[in-house]
Protein backbone atom coordinates (compact mmCIF):
# COMPACT_ATOMS: atom_id res chain seq x y z
CA UNK A 1 0.00 0.00 0.00
CA UNK A 2 1.27 3.51 -0.77
CA UNK A 3 2.75 5.42 2.17
CA UNK A 4 2.74 9.16 2.84
CA UNK A 5 5.17 11.18 4.93
CA UNK A 6 3.74 14.03 6.99
CA UNK A 7 6.27 16.58 8.23
CA UNK A 8 5.22 18.55 11.31
CA UNK A 9 6.02 22.26 11.69
CA UNK A 10 8.77 21.32 14.19
CA UNK A 11 10.44 19.15 11.55
CA UNK A 12 9.43 15.79 13.02
CA UNK A 13 8.21 13.45 10.30
CA UNK A 14 5.69 10.62 10.40
CA UNK A 15 5.22 7.94 7.76
CA UNK A 16 1.66 6.68 7.36
CA UNK A 17 0.55 3.60 5.41
CA UNK A 18 -2.64 4.18 3.46
CA UNK A 19 -5.45 1.74 2.73
CA UNK A 20 -6.85 1.34 -0.77
CA UNK A 21 -9.10 4.14 -1.95
CA UNK A 22 -8.34 6.34 1.05
CA UNK A 23 -7.64 10.04 0.96
CA UNK A 24 -4.48 11.40 2.57
CA UNK A 25 -6.73 12.93 5.26
CA UNK A 26 -8.41 9.58 6.02
CA UNK A 27 -5.04 7.86 6.34
CA UNK A 28 -3.85 10.59 8.71
CA UNK A 29 -6.93 10.56 10.95
CA UNK A 30 -7.06 6.76 11.00
CA UNK A 31 -3.54 6.83 12.46
CA UNK A 32 -4.48 9.58 14.93
CA UNK A 33 -1.93 11.96 13.42
CA UNK A 34 -1.81 15.35 15.16
CA UNK A 35 -2.09 18.31 12.84
CA UNK A 36 -4.92 17.12 10.59
CA UNK A 37 -8.22 18.06 12.17
CA UNK A 38 -10.69 17.25 9.37
CA UNK A 39 -13.72 18.67 11.18
CA UNK A 40 -16.03 18.15 8.21
CA UNK A 41 -15.04 14.55 7.61
CA UNK A 42 -13.80 15.12 4.09
CA UNK A 43 -16.77 17.06 2.75
CA UNK A 44 -14.60 19.87 1.44
CA UNK A 45 -16.21 22.30 3.87
CA UNK A 46 -13.83 23.07 6.68
CA UNK A 47 -10.27 23.46 5.31
CA UNK A 48 -8.90 21.95 8.55
CA UNK A 49 -7.06 19.22 6.62
CA UNK A 50 -4.75 21.75 4.95
CA UNK A 51 -1.27 20.58 3.87
CA UNK A 52 1.65 21.97 1.88
CA UNK A 53 2.65 19.45 -0.75
CA UNK A 54 6.39 18.95 -1.28
CA UNK A 55 7.64 20.79 -4.38
CA UNK A 56 8.79 17.60 -6.06
CA UNK A 57 5.30 16.10 -5.80
CA UNK A 58 3.15 19.07 -6.59
CA UNK A 59 2.96 18.56 -10.34
CA UNK A 60 2.19 14.88 -9.93
CA UNK A 61 -1.10 15.47 -8.08
CA UNK A 62 -4.32 15.69 -10.05
CA UNK A 63 -5.47 19.28 -10.52
CA UNK A 64 -7.74 20.69 -7.84
CA UNK A 65 -11.46 21.26 -8.32
CA UNK A 66 -12.99 24.71 -7.99
CA UNK A 67 -14.46 24.05 -4.56
CA UNK A 68 -11.07 23.04 -3.16
CA UNK A 69 -9.54 26.15 -4.66
CA UNK A 70 -12.20 28.36 -3.05
CA UNK A 71 -11.86 26.64 0.32
CA UNK A 72 -8.11 27.12 0.39
CA UNK A 73 -8.77 30.85 0.55
CA UNK A 74 -10.21 30.23 4.02
CA UNK A 75 -7.36 28.27 5.63
CA UNK A 76 -6.19 29.26 9.11
CA UNK A 77 -2.49 29.23 8.15
CA UNK A 78 -1.48 31.18 5.05
CA UNK A 79 -2.29 29.72 1.66
CA UNK A 80 0.78 29.06 -0.48
CA UNK A 81 1.18 27.77 -4.04
CA UNK A 82 1.74 24.27 -2.60
CA UNK A 83 -1.46 24.34 -0.49
CA UNK A 84 -3.91 21.46 -0.90
CA UNK A 85 -6.71 19.91 1.14
CA UNK A 86 -5.60 16.43 2.14
CA UNK A 87 -9.19 15.13 2.02
CA UNK A 88 -9.22 15.82 -1.69
CA UNK A 89 -6.00 13.89 -2.36
CA UNK A 90 -6.95 10.34 -3.16
CA UNK A 91 -3.91 8.14 -2.63
CA UNK A 92 -3.17 6.10 -5.74
CA UNK A 93 -0.17 3.77 -6.20
CA UNK A 94 1.58 6.52 -8.19
CA UNK A 95 1.56 8.66 -5.05
CA UNK A 96 3.58 6.16 -2.99
CA UNK A 97 6.18 8.16 -1.09
CA UNK A 98 4.23 11.44 -1.20
CA UNK A 99 5.62 14.08 1.17
CA UNK A 100 3.41 16.80 2.66
CA UNK A 101 4.09 19.45 5.31
CA UNK A 102 1.61 20.36 8.03
CA UNK A 103 0.72 24.02 8.60
CA UNK A 104 1.15 25.75 11.98
CA UNK A 105 -2.57 25.72 12.62
CA UNK A 106 -5.82 24.33 11.21
CA UNK A 107 -8.31 26.61 13.02
CA UNK B 1 -38.30 -3.17 26.92
CA UNK B 2 -37.32 -6.65 25.92
CA UNK B 3 -35.40 -8.21 23.07
CA UNK B 4 -36.88 -11.32 21.59
CA UNK B 5 -34.76 -13.33 19.19
CA UNK B 6 -37.48 -13.97 16.61
CA UNK B 7 -35.98 -14.14 13.11
CA UNK B 8 -37.37 -11.24 11.08
CA UNK B 9 -37.54 -12.84 7.69
CA UNK B 10 -35.58 -15.33 5.69
CA UNK B 11 -32.47 -13.23 6.29
CA UNK B 12 -29.10 -14.86 6.81
CA UNK B 13 -28.91 -13.66 10.40
CA UNK B 14 -31.87 -13.29 12.68
CA UNK B 15 -32.72 -9.70 13.38
CA UNK B 16 -33.76 -9.06 16.97
CA UNK B 17 -37.22 -7.53 17.34
CA UNK B 18 -37.50 -4.92 20.09
CA UNK B 19 -40.56 -3.32 21.55
CA UNK B 20 -38.70 -0.06 22.25
CA UNK B 21 -40.52 3.12 21.17
CA UNK B 22 -37.75 5.67 20.59
CA UNK B 23 -40.33 8.47 20.24
CA UNK B 24 -41.98 7.94 23.59
CA UNK B 25 -41.81 10.39 26.53
CA UNK B 26 -40.24 7.83 28.85
CA UNK B 27 -37.58 7.13 26.22
CA UNK B 28 -36.85 10.86 25.85
CA UNK B 29 -36.63 11.33 29.61
CA UNK B 30 -33.69 8.90 29.80
CA UNK B 31 -32.65 7.41 26.45
CA UNK B 32 -29.36 5.90 27.62
CA UNK B 33 -30.50 2.49 28.92
CA UNK B 34 -32.57 2.01 25.76
CA UNK B 35 -29.64 3.12 23.57
CA UNK B 36 -27.53 0.48 25.23
CA UNK B 37 -30.21 -2.16 24.71
CA UNK B 38 -30.50 -1.21 21.04
CA UNK B 39 -26.71 -1.35 20.56
CA UNK B 40 -26.24 -4.62 22.36
CA UNK B 41 -29.20 -6.43 20.78
CA UNK B 42 -27.40 -6.61 17.43
CA UNK B 43 -25.89 -4.59 14.58
CA UNK B 44 -29.36 -4.22 13.04
CA UNK B 45 -32.62 -4.40 15.00
CA UNK B 46 -36.29 -4.23 14.10
CA UNK B 47 -38.67 -1.95 15.99
CA UNK B 48 -42.13 -3.50 15.97
CA UNK B 49 -43.83 -0.38 17.25
CA UNK B 50 -43.17 1.53 14.01
CA UNK B 51 -42.15 -1.28 11.64
CA UNK B 52 -38.71 0.08 10.95
CA UNK B 53 -35.17 -1.22 11.07
CA UNK B 54 -32.78 0.44 13.48
CA UNK B 55 -29.01 0.82 13.75
CA UNK B 56 -27.45 2.08 16.98
CA UNK B 57 -23.80 1.00 16.75
CA UNK B 58 -21.24 3.40 15.38
CA UNK B 59 -20.07 1.14 12.53
CA UNK B 60 -23.55 0.57 11.11
CA UNK B 61 -24.71 4.17 11.56
CA UNK B 62 -21.56 5.32 9.78
CA UNK B 63 -22.04 2.73 7.02
CA UNK B 64 -25.65 3.75 6.38
CA UNK B 65 -24.77 7.45 6.32
CA UNK B 66 -22.00 6.78 3.81
CA UNK B 67 -23.99 4.71 1.33
CA UNK B 68 -26.59 7.18 0.04
CA UNK B 69 -27.21 5.15 -3.13
CA UNK B 70 -28.61 2.28 -1.03
CA UNK B 71 -29.94 4.29 1.91
CA UNK B 72 -31.58 7.26 0.26
CA UNK B 73 -32.91 10.56 1.60
CA UNK B 74 -35.34 11.48 -1.18
CA UNK B 75 -38.07 9.29 0.34
CA UNK B 76 -37.84 11.41 3.49
CA UNK B 77 -35.45 11.42 6.44
CA UNK B 78 -38.34 10.98 8.86
CA UNK B 79 -40.61 7.97 9.32
CA UNK B 80 -42.98 9.03 6.55
CA UNK B 81 -42.14 7.45 3.17
CA UNK B 82 -42.63 10.11 0.50
CA UNK B 83 -43.29 7.38 -2.04
CA UNK B 84 -46.36 6.30 -0.08
CA UNK B 85 -47.46 9.46 1.74
CA UNK B 86 -47.70 13.09 0.77
CA UNK B 87 -45.09 15.08 2.73
CA UNK B 88 -46.50 17.61 5.21
CA UNK B 89 -44.61 20.39 3.39
CA UNK B 90 -42.80 20.51 0.03
CA UNK B 91 -39.65 18.39 0.56
CA UNK B 92 -36.31 20.04 1.25
CA UNK B 93 -34.16 20.40 -1.87
CA UNK B 94 -31.06 19.39 0.03
CA UNK B 95 -31.88 17.30 3.11
CA UNK B 96 -34.53 15.25 1.35
CA UNK B 97 -32.74 14.88 -1.98
CA UNK B 98 -30.30 12.39 -3.51
CA UNK B 99 -27.48 12.92 -6.00
CA UNK B 100 -27.35 14.33 -8.60
CA UNK B 101 -30.05 16.82 -7.49
CA UNK B 102 -28.50 17.03 -4.02
CA UNK B 103 -25.01 17.67 -5.37
CA UNK B 104 -26.10 20.89 -7.05
CA UNK B 105 -28.05 22.42 -4.15
CA UNK B 106 -25.45 21.30 -1.65
CA UNK B 107 -22.72 23.10 -3.61
CA UNK B 108 -24.71 26.33 -3.29
CA UNK B 109 -25.20 26.12 0.47
CA UNK B 110 -21.60 24.96 0.98
CA UNK B 111 -20.40 28.14 -0.67
CA UNK B 112 -22.80 30.37 1.23
CA UNK B 113 -21.69 28.83 4.56
CA UNK B 114 -17.99 28.36 3.69
CA UNK B 115 -14.93 29.11 5.86
CA UNK B 116 -14.52 32.37 3.94
CA UNK B 117 -18.10 33.37 4.79
CA UNK B 118 -17.38 32.53 8.44
CA UNK B 119 -14.40 34.88 8.47
CA UNK B 120 -16.80 37.65 7.50
CA UNK B 121 -19.23 37.04 10.36
CA UNK B 122 -16.76 35.93 13.01
CA UNK B 123 -16.12 39.34 14.60
CA UNK B 124 -19.83 40.09 14.79
CA UNK B 125 -20.62 36.71 16.33
CA UNK B 126 -17.80 37.14 18.86
CA UNK B 127 -18.85 40.66 19.83
CA UNK B 128 -22.44 39.52 20.37
CA UNK B 129 -21.20 36.68 22.59
CA UNK B 130 -19.31 39.20 24.74
CA UNK B 131 -22.43 41.36 24.99
CA UNK B 132 -24.51 38.37 26.03
CA UNK B 133 -21.99 37.51 28.74
CA UNK B 134 -22.07 41.15 29.94
CA UNK B 135 -25.81 40.85 30.37
CA UNK B 136 -25.55 37.48 32.13
CA UNK B 137 -22.93 38.74 34.57
CA UNK B 138 -25.30 41.57 35.36
CA UNK B 139 -28.10 39.06 36.05
CA UNK B 140 -26.00 36.52 38.02
CA UNK B 141 -28.95 34.10 38.27
CA UNK B 142 -30.80 33.25 35.07
CA UNK B 143 -32.21 30.49 32.86
CA UNK B 144 -29.31 29.17 30.80
CA UNK B 145 -31.73 28.07 28.08
CA UNK B 146 -33.87 31.18 27.53
CA UNK B 147 -31.25 33.76 28.48
CA UNK B 148 -28.21 32.12 26.93
CA UNK B 149 -28.76 29.15 24.60
CA UNK B 150 -31.73 30.85 22.88
CA UNK B 151 -30.89 34.50 23.36
CA UNK B 152 -27.44 34.26 21.83
CA UNK B 153 -28.26 32.56 18.48
CA UNK B 154 -31.38 34.74 18.22
CA UNK B 155 -29.17 37.82 18.55
CA UNK B 156 -27.02 36.88 15.55
CA UNK B 157 -28.42 34.18 13.27
CA UNK B 158 -31.58 35.91 11.99
CA UNK B 159 -29.49 39.00 11.24
CA UNK B 160 -26.83 36.91 9.50
CA UNK B 161 -29.59 35.45 7.32
CA UNK B 162 -30.90 38.93 6.63
CA UNK B 163 -34.37 38.48 8.13
CA UNK B 164 -36.67 41.36 8.95
CA UNK B 165 -37.04 42.19 12.64
CA UNK B 166 -40.79 41.48 12.63
CA UNK B 167 -42.10 37.98 13.17
CA UNK B 168 -38.92 36.34 14.39
CA UNK B 169 -40.87 34.76 17.24
CA UNK B 170 -42.04 32.21 14.66
CA UNK B 171 -38.53 30.84 14.09
CA UNK B 172 -38.12 28.48 17.03
CA UNK B 173 -41.72 27.20 16.87
CA UNK B 174 -41.30 26.55 13.13
CA UNK B 175 -38.10 24.56 13.71
CA UNK B 176 -39.81 22.63 16.45
CA UNK B 177 -42.53 21.59 13.98
CA UNK B 178 -39.94 20.55 11.39
CA UNK B 179 -38.03 18.34 13.82
CA UNK B 180 -41.18 16.87 15.36
CA UNK B 181 -42.45 16.04 11.88
CA UNK B 182 -39.55 13.63 11.25
CA UNK B 183 -41.03 11.43 13.95
CA UNK B 184 -43.91 8.95 13.77
CA UNK B 185 -47.55 10.07 13.83
CA UNK B 186 -47.56 10.43 17.62
CA UNK B 187 -49.09 13.28 19.60
CA UNK B 188 -45.94 15.40 19.32
CA UNK B 189 -46.03 15.27 15.53
CA UNK B 190 -49.76 15.60 15.04
CA UNK B 191 -50.08 18.58 17.39
CA UNK B 192 -47.05 20.30 15.93
CA UNK B 193 -48.37 20.04 12.38
CA UNK B 194 -51.87 21.07 13.44
CA UNK B 195 -50.51 24.31 14.88
CA UNK B 196 -47.99 24.98 12.11
CA UNK B 197 -49.97 27.13 9.65
CA UNK B 198 -48.97 30.59 10.94
CA UNK B 199 -45.32 29.56 11.27
CA UNK B 200 -45.31 28.11 7.75
CA UNK B 201 -46.86 31.28 6.36
CA UNK B 202 -44.21 33.42 8.07
CA UNK B 203 -41.36 31.24 6.78
CA UNK B 204 -42.66 31.08 3.20
CA UNK B 205 -42.86 34.87 3.16
CA UNK B 206 -39.38 35.49 4.60
CA UNK B 207 -37.73 33.18 2.06
CA UNK B 208 -38.63 35.54 -0.80
CA UNK B 209 -35.79 37.57 -2.25
CA UNK B 210 -37.33 40.96 -1.44
CA UNK B 211 -37.57 40.13 2.24
CA UNK B 212 -33.89 39.28 2.68
CA UNK B 213 -31.36 42.01 3.48
CA UNK B 214 -28.40 42.39 1.09
CA UNK B 215 -25.19 40.65 2.19
CA UNK B 216 -26.95 38.06 4.35
CA UNK B 217 -26.87 34.29 3.82
CA UNK B 218 -30.39 34.46 2.34
CA UNK B 219 -29.45 37.07 -0.25
CA UNK B 220 -26.30 35.08 -1.10
CA UNK B 221 -28.48 32.07 -1.92
CA UNK B 222 -30.72 34.16 -4.18
CA UNK B 223 -27.64 35.63 -5.89
CA UNK B 224 -26.88 32.13 -7.22
CA UNK B 225 -30.01 32.37 -9.34
CA UNK B 226 -28.30 35.09 -11.36
CA UNK B 227 -25.33 32.76 -11.99
CA UNK B 228 -27.75 30.08 -13.19
CA UNK B 229 -26.73 27.61 -10.47
CA UNK B 230 -30.28 27.34 -9.13
CA UNK B 231 -33.67 28.51 -10.34
CA UNK B 232 -35.75 31.32 -8.90
CA UNK B 233 -38.22 28.77 -7.54
CA UNK B 234 -35.47 26.76 -5.83
CA UNK B 235 -33.85 29.67 -4.01
CA UNK B 236 -36.65 30.29 -1.47
CA UNK B 237 -36.72 26.60 -0.57
CA UNK B 238 -32.98 26.63 0.08
CA UNK B 239 -33.38 29.67 2.31
CA UNK B 240 -36.07 27.67 4.09
CA UNK B 241 -33.47 24.99 4.88
CA UNK B 242 -31.47 27.52 6.87
CA UNK B 243 -34.58 28.74 8.67
CA UNK B 244 -35.52 25.15 9.53
CA UNK B 245 -32.15 23.78 10.53
CA UNK B 246 -30.03 26.76 11.51
CA UNK B 247 -31.46 28.05 14.76
CA UNK B 248 -33.07 25.48 17.03
CA UNK B 249 -30.14 23.10 16.40
CA UNK B 250 -27.60 25.59 17.68
CA UNK B 251 -29.90 26.51 20.59
CA UNK B 252 -29.78 22.87 21.62
CA UNK B 253 -26.06 22.63 20.83
CA UNK B 254 -25.13 25.60 22.99
CA UNK B 255 -27.61 24.45 25.64
CA UNK B 256 -25.91 21.04 25.64
CA UNK B 257 -22.47 22.59 26.04
CA UNK B 258 -23.51 24.80 28.95
CA UNK B 259 -25.33 21.91 30.61
CA UNK B 260 -22.19 19.74 30.29
CA UNK B 261 -19.86 22.43 31.60
CA UNK B 262 -22.18 23.18 34.52
CA UNK B 263 -22.42 19.49 35.44
CA UNK B 264 -18.71 18.71 35.10
CA UNK B 265 -16.77 21.46 36.93
CA UNK B 266 -13.40 19.75 36.31
CA UNK B 267 -13.99 20.14 32.56
CA UNK B 268 -15.05 23.75 33.07
CA UNK B 269 -11.77 24.34 34.88
CA UNK B 270 -9.75 22.74 32.07
CA UNK B 271 -11.48 24.98 29.57
CA UNK B 272 -10.82 28.03 31.73
CA UNK B 273 -7.14 27.09 31.94
CA UNK B 274 -6.88 26.80 28.16
CA UNK B 275 -9.38 28.82 26.14
CA UNK B 276 -8.17 27.26 22.89
CA UNK B 277 -10.20 24.20 23.97
CA UNK B 278 -13.48 26.09 23.47
CA UNK B 279 -14.14 24.79 19.96
CA UNK B 280 -13.48 21.22 21.01
CA UNK B 281 -15.53 21.62 24.20
CA UNK B 282 -18.49 22.53 21.98
CA UNK B 283 -17.80 19.67 19.57
CA UNK B 284 -17.59 17.20 22.45
CA UNK B 285 -20.95 18.46 23.74
CA UNK B 286 -22.44 17.76 20.31
CA UNK B 287 -21.07 14.20 20.55
CA UNK B 288 -22.07 13.74 24.20
CA UNK B 289 -25.63 15.12 24.01
CA UNK B 290 -26.30 14.73 20.26
CA UNK B 291 -28.83 17.58 19.88
CA UNK B 292 -30.05 15.85 16.71
CA UNK B 293 -30.77 12.34 17.99
CA UNK B 294 -31.97 10.45 14.94
CA UNK B 295 -32.61 10.49 11.21
CA UNK B 296 -34.11 7.91 8.87
CA UNK B 297 -33.11 6.60 5.47
CA UNK B 298 -35.09 4.43 3.00
CA UNK B 299 -33.56 1.45 1.19
CA UNK B 300 -33.48 1.66 -2.60
CA UNK B 301 -32.77 -2.09 -3.04
CA UNK B 302 -32.46 -5.34 -1.09
CA UNK B 303 -29.32 -5.01 0.98
CA UNK B 304 -27.32 -6.96 3.49
CA UNK B 305 -25.99 -4.88 6.36
CA UNK B 306 -23.64 -6.58 8.83
CA UNK B 307 -25.28 -9.91 8.05
CA UNK B 308 -28.85 -8.63 8.29
CA UNK B 309 -30.96 -8.67 5.15
CA UNK B 310 -33.18 -5.64 4.58
CA UNK B 311 -35.64 -5.48 1.70
CA UNK B 312 -36.19 -2.60 -0.72
CA UNK B 313 -38.35 0.32 0.43
CA UNK B 314 -37.72 -0.18 4.15
CA UNK B 315 -37.17 2.65 6.61
CA UNK B 316 -33.94 2.50 8.61
CA UNK B 317 -33.67 4.60 11.76
CA UNK B 318 -30.14 5.77 12.60
CA UNK B 319 -29.51 6.43 16.29
CA UNK B 320 -26.82 9.10 15.98
CA UNK B 321 -26.79 9.64 19.74
CA UNK B 322 -26.26 5.94 20.47
CA UNK B 323 -23.45 5.73 17.89
CA UNK B 324 -21.79 8.70 19.54
CA UNK B 325 -21.55 6.72 22.78
CA UNK B 326 -20.82 3.30 21.33
CA UNK B 327 -18.05 1.76 23.47
CA UNK B 328 -16.86 -0.09 20.34
CA UNK B 329 -15.77 3.27 18.97
CA UNK B 330 -15.24 5.56 21.96
CA UNK B 331 -13.08 5.37 25.05
CA UNK B 332 -15.16 6.17 28.17
CA UNK B 333 -18.11 7.10 25.94
CA UNK B 334 -20.20 8.38 28.86
CA UNK B 335 -17.72 10.98 30.04
CA UNK B 336 -17.64 14.50 28.76
CA UNK B 337 -13.99 15.30 28.02
CA UNK B 338 -13.08 18.68 26.52
CA UNK B 339 -9.76 17.29 25.28
CA UNK B 340 -11.23 14.24 23.53
CA UNK B 341 -10.32 13.63 19.88
CA UNK B 342 -13.90 14.07 18.70
CA UNK B 343 -13.20 13.70 14.99
CA UNK B 344 -15.53 11.12 13.44
CA UNK B 345 -18.54 11.62 15.72
CA UNK B 346 -21.86 11.59 13.88
CA UNK B 347 -23.62 14.41 15.76
CA UNK B 348 -23.48 16.42 12.52
CA UNK B 349 -24.04 13.29 10.45
CA UNK B 350 -21.41 11.95 8.04
CA UNK B 351 -20.96 11.64 4.30
CA UNK B 352 -22.70 13.71 1.64
CA UNK B 353 -25.48 15.07 3.90
CA UNK B 354 -23.19 15.92 6.80
CA UNK B 355 -24.42 19.20 8.24
CA UNK B 356 -23.83 21.98 5.77
CA UNK B 357 -24.20 24.53 8.60
CA UNK B 358 -21.55 22.92 10.80
CA UNK B 359 -19.21 25.90 10.53
CA UNK B 360 -21.93 28.27 11.71
CA UNK B 361 -22.70 25.98 14.64
CA UNK B 362 -19.04 25.61 15.63
CA UNK B 363 -18.39 29.31 15.31
CA UNK B 364 -21.32 30.15 17.59
CA UNK B 365 -20.28 27.47 20.07
CA UNK B 366 -16.64 28.48 20.07
CA UNK B 367 -17.09 32.22 20.56
CA UNK B 368 -19.80 31.74 23.20
CA UNK B 369 -17.78 29.26 25.27
CA UNK B 370 -14.66 31.41 24.94
CA UNK B 371 -16.48 34.49 26.21
CA UNK B 372 -18.06 32.55 29.08
CA UNK B 373 -14.88 30.79 30.17
CA UNK B 374 -12.87 34.00 30.12
CA UNK B 375 -15.28 35.95 32.28
CA UNK B 376 -17.07 33.42 34.47
CA UNK B 377 -15.35 31.47 37.27
CA UNK B 378 -18.19 29.18 38.21
CA UNK B 379 -21.54 27.97 36.87
CA UNK B 380 -23.84 26.35 39.43
CA UNK B 381 -27.12 24.62 38.67
CA UNK B 382 -29.61 26.02 41.17
CA UNK B 383 -32.84 24.23 40.27
CA UNK B 384 -34.19 21.13 38.59
CA UNK B 385 -33.46 21.27 34.82
CA UNK B 386 -36.62 20.77 32.74
CA UNK B 387 -36.50 18.76 29.53
CA UNK B 388 -38.05 19.87 26.21
CA UNK B 389 -39.64 17.04 24.24
CA UNK B 390 -39.23 16.73 20.49
CA UNK B 391 -39.22 13.73 18.17
CA UNK B 392 -35.74 14.54 16.85
CA UNK B 393 -34.09 17.21 18.99
CA UNK B 394 -32.74 16.63 22.47
CA UNK B 395 -32.39 19.56 24.80
CA UNK B 396 -33.64 21.37 27.86
CA UNK B 397 -36.58 23.69 28.32
CA UNK B 398 -35.01 25.43 31.29
CA UNK B 399 -31.76 25.26 33.25
CA UNK B 400 -31.65 27.58 36.27
CA UNK B 401 -28.07 28.62 37.05
CA UNK B 402 -26.10 31.12 39.09
CA UNK B 403 -22.71 32.28 37.88
CA UNK B 404 -19.73 33.73 39.72
CA UNK B 405 -17.76 36.30 37.69
CA UNK B 406 -14.03 35.64 37.31
C1 LIG C 1 -25.28 21.98 16.77
C2 LIG C 1 -25.98 22.34 15.72
C3 LIG C 1 -26.36 21.42 14.59
C4 LIG C 1 -26.50 20.05 14.58
C5 LIG C 1 -26.31 19.08 15.74
C6 LIG C 1 -26.87 19.67 13.23
C7 LIG C 1 -27.06 18.36 12.81
C8 LIG C 1 -27.24 17.97 11.49
C9 LIG C 1 -27.27 16.61 11.03
C10 LIG C 1 -27.13 15.38 11.90
C11 LIG C 1 -27.44 16.63 9.67
C12 LIG C 1 -27.48 15.42 8.73
C13 LIG C 1 -28.83 15.11 8.18
C14 LIG C 1 -28.85 13.81 7.40
O1 LIG C 1 -27.83 13.12 7.29
O2 LIG C 1 -29.93 13.46 6.90
C15 LIG C 1 -27.55 18.02 9.29
C16 LIG C 1 -27.78 18.47 8.00
C17 LIG C 1 -28.06 19.79 7.69
N1 LIG C 1 -27.91 20.89 8.52
FE1 LIG C 1 -27.31 20.84 10.45
N2 LIG C 1 -26.95 20.79 12.46
C18 LIG C 1 -26.64 21.88 13.24
C19 LIG C 1 -26.61 23.21 12.83
C20 LIG C 1 -26.97 23.67 11.58
C21 LIG C 1 -26.94 25.04 11.16
C22 LIG C 1 -26.45 26.20 12.02
C23 LIG C 1 -27.43 25.08 9.88
C24 LIG C 1 -27.61 26.25 8.95
C25 LIG C 1 -26.97 27.38 9.04
C26 LIG C 1 -27.74 23.71 9.49
C27 LIG C 1 -28.26 23.32 8.27
C28 LIG C 1 -28.30 22.01 7.82
C29 LIG C 1 -28.74 21.63 6.47
C30 LIG C 1 -29.26 22.56 5.40
C31 LIG C 1 -28.58 20.23 6.40
C32 LIG C 1 -28.86 19.34 5.19
C33 LIG C 1 -27.54 19.04 4.50
C34 LIG C 1 -27.64 18.02 3.39
O3 LIG C 1 -28.62 17.29 3.33
O4 LIG C 1 -26.69 17.97 2.56
N3 LIG C 1 -27.44 22.89 10.55
N4 LIG C 1 -27.40 18.82 10.41
S1 LIG D 1 -11.72 17.50 5.96
FE1 LIG D 1 -12.86 19.30 5.81
S2 LIG D 1 -12.12 20.17 4.01
FE2 LIG D 1 -10.93 18.39 4.18
Amino acid sequence: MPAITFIHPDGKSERVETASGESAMQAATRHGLDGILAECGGNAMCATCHVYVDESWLARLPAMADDEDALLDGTASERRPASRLSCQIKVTPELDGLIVRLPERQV
Amino acid sequence: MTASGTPASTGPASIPHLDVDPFDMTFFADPYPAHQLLREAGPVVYLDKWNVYGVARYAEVHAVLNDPATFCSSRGVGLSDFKKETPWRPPSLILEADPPAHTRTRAVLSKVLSPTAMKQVRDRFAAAAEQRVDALIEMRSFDAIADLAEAYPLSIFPDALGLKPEGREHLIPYASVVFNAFGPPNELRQEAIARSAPHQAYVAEQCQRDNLAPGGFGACIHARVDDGEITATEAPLLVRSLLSAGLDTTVNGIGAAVYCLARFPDQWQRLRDDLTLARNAFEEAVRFESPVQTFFRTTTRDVELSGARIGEGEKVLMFLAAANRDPRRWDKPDSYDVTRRTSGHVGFGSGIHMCVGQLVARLEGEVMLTALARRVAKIEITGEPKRRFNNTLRGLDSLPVTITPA
Side-chain angles (χ1 to χ4, degrees), chain A residues 32-34 37 39-40 43 45-46 70-71 73-75 107, chain B residues 106 113 115 119 279 341 343 351-352 354-356 358-359 362:
Chain A
L33 185 113
D34 278 322
L37 195 59
E39 275 182 349
C40 80
N43 262 300
M45 276 219 70
C46 68
L71 260 180
D73 287 336
T75 53
V107 286
Chain B
R106 169 95 191 182
L113 304 171
K119 281 191 173 168
R279 198 170 172 96
R341 197 184 271 275
S343 180
I352 64 165
M354 187 179 177
C355 186
V356 77
Q358 54 183 282
L359 300 183
R362 291 196 184 104

Side-chain angles (χ1 to χ4, degrees), chain B residues 65 73 77 92 94-97 102 106 109 113 157 217 241-242 245-247 249-254 282 286 290-292 295-297 318 320 346-350 352-358 360-361 364:
Chain B
L65 284 167
S73 292
V77 295
S92 161
I94 175 164
L95 181 70
E96 293 154 336
H102 170 266
R106 169 95 191 182
L109 289 193
L113 304 171
F157 189 69
F217 299 144
S241 287
L242 303 193
L247 190 66
T249 49
T250 58
V251 168
N252 285 297
I254 294 169
F282 178 73
V286 174
S290 299
V292 174
F295 267 124
F296 289 86
R297 293 291 188 263
M318 303 176 290
L320 306 177
V346 291
F348 286 113
S350 176
I352 64 165
H353 289 280
M354 187 179 177
C355 186
V356 77
Q358 54 183 282
V360 177
E364 290 182 20

